[in-house]
Amino acid sequence: MTPRATPLSPAARRAQLIEVTLPLLREHGRATTTKQIAEAAGVAEGTIFRAFETKDDLFLCALEEAFDPTDLIERTEAIDLEQPLRDRMVEVVTLISERFTAMFTLMARMGMLQPPRARQHTEELRARGAAAIEALLAPDAASFRVDVPQVAHTLRLLTFSGSHPHITEGRLLTPDQIVDVVLHGTLKGDH
């Protein structure tokens, strides 16, 4: 018999179940069972269905959590602007690349062709993420042949494609390679 679960508020229980479900989805995909989730959470299977209507509802919430860019944006905003330009760029590309790689892996495990539709603030978060990258580049705006938004856009696109296992035919680009391509293609003179 499963021991009685530690009492949590409904919101805390949902958050706990989402947290333990994500690694299981990354490992087992849609074959993840409620028994595995319950064991990982230290609860009875029935507890899952008091927090979520269905297993698919839990999966959707877990996927939406995995695709929420808030943590990535906050980590980007925290990058030290006192670092040299190249170091800032490598740091942000590393963060973005790790996120894309995790997303692509999860999508493959789940048999998804596209990310789930987020329930709120998608455009707002996208704009905030773009602004965070632009802020990293802004101190060196005069060094670029194109404007900072274009550099940021190019950096994001190259990181996306360079992190995708199918687009790269399994030869992922490293953050250093991505930054070198962007810098040598956008900087003025002999930078």
Side-chain angles (χ1 to χ4, degrees):
M1 182 174 197
T2 305
R4 187 156 178 83
T6 305
L8 294 175
S9 70
R13 177 66 68 205
R14 286 175 64 88
Q16 177 210 25
L17 291 168
I18 288 168
E19 182 180 337
V20 302
T21 298
L22 271 171
L24 294 169
L25 294 180
R26 287 187 178 104
E27 184 177 346
H28 305 287
R30 292 201 180 277
T32 301
T33 66
T34 55
K35 181 178 181 182
Q36 291 170 314
I37 295 166
E39 286 175 1
V43 301
E45 284 184 76
T47 303
I48 295 168
F49 297 105
R50 283 190 285 284
F52 295 92
E53 207 169 298
T54 66
K55 181 173 85 167
D56 286 339
D57 186 35
L58 170 55
F59 283 7
L60 178 60
C61 290
L63 290 168
E64 287 177 351
E65 178 72 23
F67 285 86
D68 181 342
T70 303
D71 180 61
L72 172 65
I73 293 167
E74 290 171 353
R75 292 173 68 193
T76 299
E77 292 169 339
I79 292 174
D80 182 5
L81 294 178
E82 297 300 316
Q83 295 181 81
L85 172 64
R86 187 178 193 292
D87 293 348
R88 287 180 307 221
M89 291 176 73
V90 168
E91 190 170 345
V92 75
V93 168
T94 299
L95 292 174
I96 297 168
S97 180
E98 288 170 354
R99 175 174 166 74
F100 282 147
T101 299
M103 287 173 28
F104 297 143
T105 299
L106 182 58
M107 288 174 67
R109 284 277 189 207
M110 296 298 292
M112 299 168 64
L113 298 178
Q114 64 185 21
R117 293 188 185 268
R119 292 184 178 165
Q120 48 182 287
H121 311 302
T122 302
E123 287 305 316
E124 215 174 281
L125 288 170
R126 187 173 287 126
R128 183 176 163 204
I133 296 169
E134 290 171 19
L136 287 176
L137 303 171
D140 294 278
S143 299
F144 295 109
R145 288 187 288 131
V146 297
D147 66 9
V148 165
Q150 181 60 47
V151 177
H153 180 71
T154 303
L155 190 69
R156 286 192 322 268
L157 286 177
L158 188 54
T159 303
F160 175 86
S161 60
S163 301
H164 196 290
H166 298 299
I167 294 172
T168 63
E169 298 175 339
R171 298 176 307 187
L172 302 180
L173 296 177
T174 67
D176 284 309
Q177 290 171 318
I178 292 167
V179 170
D180 284 345
V181 168
V182 173
L183 283 178
H184 295 298
T186 59
L187 286 179
K188 292 180 185 174
D190 296 325
H191 292 280

